[in-house]
């Protein structure tokens, strides 16, 4: 074979390889269908709670548990969950006590530690030994406590809209005690003002059906459960986070009104024993993973993070 033919053959082979790689990437980035009215499963936990959850996947992929924030539900992670499932992950989205379709006991406070104990019990109930844990806002503190109290359960942590401490947080204080035209959660008994609910659940999400589903969930949540959820976040994990040794991904929106940049610095410094990857999403707020079309981007960030750390990711 002549030198020219060998060169031509080499070029053809390289082109085919590149096309194959592009095909794989495109398949992993396929358009997905998001279900805002999913089929729920239920687990009776040893903690006394009947927990509702949504399972996405065929049970063979790398397990990921997505833990929503205060007043949220499955809807919060519906778009991220659908994307991760399309990427080959086995996704579980439980609803915390007091939220969604899960039991809502009349407790003064739904302690973050209680939520972590519920997630541990949930994993036992579904025979899941460990998983990659993703948490947003309140769910990020549940994820932190899970990693501290039950480290054997956690392969990796992804914290979205998080911090090391929440004590004396002005936004949490406003939610509880009010100001301006909102009297605070401690002042309401049966219903919350419609204007407040619409403002609280409004977002730039690309899908109006997502926004409406988020509103409906928040409107149906009892006022006492709202109050119990926000009273729980008077916490400081700063002296405990050094115990976390698994890889950690922090995703922060630069316009986060709950946890500013100073909180992110403290969070990273407190995670002194972990390898931390920090991503800033410019111009994005506290609900980083559902603003605009951020669900796709955040799912991709999680996929890249897990692949980098070789956490039994799909297609490896």
């Amino acid at each position: 074979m002549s030198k020219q033919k060998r060169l031509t053959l080499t070029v053809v082979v390289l082109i085919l390889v590149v096309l194959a790689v592009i095909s794989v990437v495109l398949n992993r980035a396929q358009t997905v269908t998001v279900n805002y009215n999913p089929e729920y499963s239920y687990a009776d936990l040893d903690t006394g709670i009947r927990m509702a959850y949504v399972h996405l996947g065929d049970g063979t992929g790398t397990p990921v548990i997505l833990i929503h924030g205060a007043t949220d539900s499955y809807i919060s992670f519906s778009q991220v969950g659908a994307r991760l499932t399309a990427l080959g992950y086995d996704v579980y989205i439980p609803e915390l006590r007091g939220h969604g379709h899960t039991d809502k006991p009349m407790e003064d406070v739904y302690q973050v530690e209680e939520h972590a104990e519920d997630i541990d019990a949930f994993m036992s109930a579904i025979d899941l030994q460990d998983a990659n844990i993703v948490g947003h806002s309140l769910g990020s503190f549940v994820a932190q406590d899970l990693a501290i109290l039950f480290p054997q359960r956690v392969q990796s942590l992804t914290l979205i809209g998080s911090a090391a401490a929440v004590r004396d947080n002005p936004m949490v204080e406003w939610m509880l005690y009010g100001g301006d035209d909102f009297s605070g959660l401690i002042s309401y008994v049966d219903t919350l003002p419609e204007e407040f609910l619409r403002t609280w659940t409004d977002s730039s999400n690309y899908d109006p059906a997502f926004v409406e589903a988020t509103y409906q969930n928040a409107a149906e949540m009892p006022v006492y459960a709202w109050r119990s959820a926000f009273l729980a976040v008077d916490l400081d994990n700063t002296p405990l986070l050094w115990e976390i040794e698994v890889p950690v991904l922090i995703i922060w929106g630069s316009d986060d009104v709950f946890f500013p940049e100073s909180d992110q610095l403290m969070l990273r410094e407190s995670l002194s024993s972990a390898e931390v990857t920090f991503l800033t999403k410019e111009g994005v707020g506290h609900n980083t993973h559902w603003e605009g079309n951020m669900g796709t981007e955040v799912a991709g960030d999680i996929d890249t993070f897990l692949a980098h750390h070789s956490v039994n990711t799909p297609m490896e």
Side-chain angles (χ1 to χ4, degrees):
M1 182 182 295
S2 69
K3 182 177 181 181
Q4 181 62 40
K5 286 184 177 180
R6 285 198 299 271
L7 179 60
T8 301
L9 181 60
T10 301
V11 170
V12 170
V13 171
L14 286 174
I15 290 173
L16 290 175
V17 170
V18 170
L19 289 175
V21 171
I22 292 173
S23 176
V24 170
V25 171
L26 290 176
N27 285 335
R28 287 170 69 82
Q30 61 185 288
T31 301
V32 299
T33 300
V34 182
N35 187 356
Y36 302 126
N37 187 27
E39 180 180 349
Y40 277 87
S41 298
Y42 294 86
D44 293 316
L45 309 185
D46 290 343
T47 55
I49 293 295
R50 188 169 191 249
M51 175 171 276
Y53 68 98
V54 176
H55 177 211
L56 304 174
D58 61 8
T60 63
T62 298
V64 177
I65 296 178
L66 307 175
I67 308 176
H68 64 76
T71 78
D72 293 329
S73 66
Y74 152 81
I75 301 299
S76 165
F77 273 113
S78 56
Q79 294 170 353
V80 173
R83 171 61 58 188
L84 287 173
T85 305
L87 292 172
Y89 292 90
D90 205 40
V91 177
Y92 297 87
I93 311 178
E95 294 183 330
L96 299 175
R97 66 169 63 202
H99 297 72
H101 295 75
T102 293
D103 286 350
K104 301 171 181 63
M106 293 284 290
E107 299 176 13
D108 291 336
V109 181
Y110 297 140
Q111 300 286 357
V112 174
E113 185 173 324
E114 276 186 301
H115 290 310
E117 291 169 350
D118 286 343
I119 297 298
D120 171 64
F122 166 69
M123 295 177 73
S124 292
I126 64 172
D127 295 322
L128 187 61
Q129 181 176 346
D130 54 26
N132 299 286
I133 309 298
V134 179
H136 166 242
S137 196
L138 169 62
S140 76
F141 301 113
V142 177
Q144 290 178 22
D145 271 20
L146 186 71
I148 293 167
L149 298 172
F150 307 100
Q152 75 280 5
R153 292 298 199 186
V154 181
Q155 292 185 10
S156 72
L157 275 183
T158 296
L159 307 175
I160 305 172
S162 193
V166 198
R167 283 189 179 148
D168 301 320
N169 183 284
M171 280 299 296
V172 173
E173 293 292 305
W174 179 83
M175 285 293 297
L176 288 170
Y177 305 109
D180 299 328
D181 296 330
F182 181 60
S183 300
L185 295 174
I186 63 168
S187 301
Y188 296 96
V189 178
D190 297 320
T191 59
L192 293 170
E194 174 73 10
E195 183 179 0
F196 166 78
L197 288 170
R198 287 292 180 184
T199 301
W200 177 254
T201 58
D202 188 31
S203 77
S204 62
N205 190 272
Y206 72 92
D207 191 346
F210 174 94
V211 180
E212 182 60 24
T214 302
Y215 164 78
Q216 290 296 334
N217 169 75
E220 292 169 5
M221 184 172 174
V223 176
Y224 74 82
W226 278 71
R227 192 163 42 245
S228 295
F230 276 95
L231 284 170
V233 292
D234 180 26
L235 56 82
D236 184 355
N237 278 345
T238 306
L240 301 173
L241 291 177
W242 68 270
E243 298 179 27
I244 296 175
E245 297 180 345
V246 296
V248 179
L249 170 63
I250 300 172
I251 301 176
W252 174 69
S254 64
D255 294 351
D256 190 334
V257 296
F258 276 88
F259 305 121
E261 190 170 10
S262 57
D263 281 325
Q264 306 314 301
L265 178 60
M266 179 62 70
L267 178 58
R268 281 178 283 175
E269 289 179 347
S270 299
L271 289 162
S272 56
S273 301
E275 181 181 341
V276 177
T277 302
F278 185 83
L279 299 178
T280 299
K281 303 299 181 181
E282 294 294 342
V284 181
H286 181 64
N287 299 320
T288 314
H289 61 299
W290 78 61
E291 293 194 18
N293 193 28
M294 288 297 296
T296 297
E297 184 172 328
V298 168
D301 292 332
I302 295 169
D303 180 42
T304 299
F305 166 70
L306 296 181
H308 176 73
H309 290 282
S310 301
V311 192
N312 301 317
T313 50
M315 297 181 61
E316 288 193 346

